[in-house]
């Protein structure tokens, strides 16, 4: 039986790409997430774009200093599946170099969860051990964790906006999911975006409501006996030989 492991992860990028270019999530959202994680005593993975790391170095340092995992989310949220191989490779290298100024990066998540298979060996070459770009709800509908192309592939369980659904509905969803549970959301979801001119799924229950729901999820998972941890640590605890 798969151990009860749950992962919290945050894709650190501009607000609701590609619809907005603002970065309210950085100044307002990310510090609030870090405060909640610290209060709850939980470690998470933060997949930064190199662009956000460059613009907000103090926040990357805070993430690393507080014991969270720093992962890569590409250079500036480029769609890797829409780039040629050599351009994609160049940006992955550049992003990795930028992020490793702050600490080791062993985990990767592609922007929009779009990672062409041909880039798996590039990630291995760059020293990544875990990829979390697959999603259980998207083709090829992975049923669990597997090793492919030398990387441990830890698929996300549900899309990010699920974490903003009313709790009584969310609770049913979480209870029905099979471990390991892998959640992701974004700093901008913890900023009040309800009046922003963007599509509804980028707006509903953002801000304080999302923050309270995050806290509630952490407490719920603990109550169910889940160990809440980072992407890399989850792979290690599942028995894969990765160094975190
Ligand atoms: Zn993203």
């Amino acid at each position: 039986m798969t151990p009860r492991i749950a992962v919290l992860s945050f894709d650190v990028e501009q607000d609701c790409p590609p619809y907005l270019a603002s970065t309210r999530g950085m100044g307002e959202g990310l510090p609030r997430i870090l405060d909640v994680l610290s209060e709850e005593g939980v470690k998470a993975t933060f997949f930064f774009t190199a662009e956000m790391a460059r613009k907000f170095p103090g926040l990357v340092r805070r993430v690393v200093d507080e014991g969270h995992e720093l992962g890569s989310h590409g250079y500036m949220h480029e769609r890797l599946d829409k780039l040629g191989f050599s351009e994609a490779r160049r940006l992955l290298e550049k992003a990795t170099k930028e992020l490793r100024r702050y600490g080791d990066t062993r985990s990767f998540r592609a922007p929009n969860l779009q990672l062409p298979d041909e880039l798996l060996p590039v990630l291995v070459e760059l020293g990544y051990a875990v990829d979390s770009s697959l999603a259980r709800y998207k083709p090829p509908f992975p049923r669990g964790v597997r090793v492919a192309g030398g990387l441990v592939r830890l698929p996300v369980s549900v899309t990010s906006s699920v974490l903003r659904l009313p709790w009584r509905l969310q609770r049913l969803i979480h209870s029905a999911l099979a471990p390991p549970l892998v959640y992701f959301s974004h700093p901008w979801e913890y900023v009040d975006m309800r009046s922003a001119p963007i599509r509804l799924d980028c707006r509903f229950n953002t801000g304080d409501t999302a923050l309270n729901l995050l806290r509630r999820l952490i407490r719920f998972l603990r109550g169910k006996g889940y160990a809440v941890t980072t992407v890399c640590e989850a792979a290690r605890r599942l028995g894969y030989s990765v160094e975190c």
Side-chain angles (χ1 to χ4, degrees):
M1 208 178 109
T2 312
R4 291 199 160 211
I5 291 173
V7 169
L8 290 180
S9 61
F10 300 89
D11 295 356
V12 184
E13 58 202 37
Q14 71 268 36
D15 301 336
C16 199
Y19 306 101
L20 297 173
S22 55
T23 54
R24 291 179 64 198
M26 302 303 295
E28 298 173 48
L30 188 48
R32 302 176 86 195
I33 295 169
L34 287 166
D35 289 346
V36 166
L37 298 180
S38 161
E39 282 159 27
E40 299 297 324
V42 166
K43 303 296 180 219
T45 299
F46 291 81
F47 290 102
F48 268 76
T49 63
E51 183 191 29
M52 288 303 114
R54 206 159 28 79
K55 287 186 179 160
F56 300 93
L59 286 172
V60 194
R61 282 192 208 102
R62 184 173 166 197
V63 161
V64 173
D65 288 349
E66 293 186 9
H68 300 292
E69 181 186 14
L70 174 63
S72 170
H73 196 41
Y75 195 75
M76 44 191 301
H77 215 264
E78 58 282 340
R79 280 280 298 259
L80 295 168
D81 58 324
K82 297 200 169 164
L83 296 176
F85 177 79
S86 46
E87 179 63 359
R89 182 196 179 102
R90 191 183 70 81
L91 290 172
L92 288 175
E93 280 174 4
K94 208 171 145 187
T96 304
K97 205 171 158 196
E98 181 78 33
L99 293 170
R100 291 215 174 119
R101 294 170 53 196
Y102 303 92
D104 202 11
T105 47
R106 305 285 287 160
S107 301
F108 181 80
R109 178 172 293 139
N112 295 85
L113 304 176
Q114 296 292 342
L115 180 65
D117 284 349
E118 62 178 10
L119 292 173
L120 293 175
V122 174
L123 291 174
V124 173
E125 220 179 279
L126 292 173
Y128 290 95
V130 190
D131 170 65
S132 186
S133 304
L134 290 169
R136 290 205 183 197
Y137 53 91
K138 283 167 102 167
F141 303 105
R143 298 215 330 253
V145 185
R146 59 187 165 131
V147 175
L151 282 171
V152 179
R153 304 204 75 183
L154 190 69
V156 302
S157 302
V158 284
T159 194
S160 60
S161 49
V162 166
L163 302 193
R164 285 181 280 124
L165 291 173
W167 180 252
R168 60 180 193 286
L169 182 56
Q170 259 195 65
R171 197 176 190 283
L172 297 174
I173 296 171
H174 302 311
S175 302
L177 294 170
L181 308 181
V182 180
Y183 297 107
F184 76 104
S185 65
H186 309 86
W188 54 264
E189 297 183 77
Y190 301 92
V191 177
D192 189 345
M193 306 286 262
R194 286 172 300 173
S195 56
I198 41 176
R199 58 182 214 203
L200 180 65
D201 67 307
C202 286
R203 286 189 276 126
F204 81 92
N205 284 349
T206 48
D208 285 344
T209 309
L211 209 63
N212 289 331
L213 287 165
L214 176 65
R215 200 187 295 273
R216 204 157 182 177
L217 174 63
I218 294 169
R219 292 180 182 176
F220 168 81
L221 293 169
R222 283 216 171 120
K224 293 279 176 194
Y226 276 90
V228 183
T229 187
T230 65
V231 165
C232 189
E233 184 60 21
R236 205 182 62 77
R237 289 198 196 185
L238 289 165
Y240 297 96
S241 74
V242 292
E243 275 178 42
C244 301

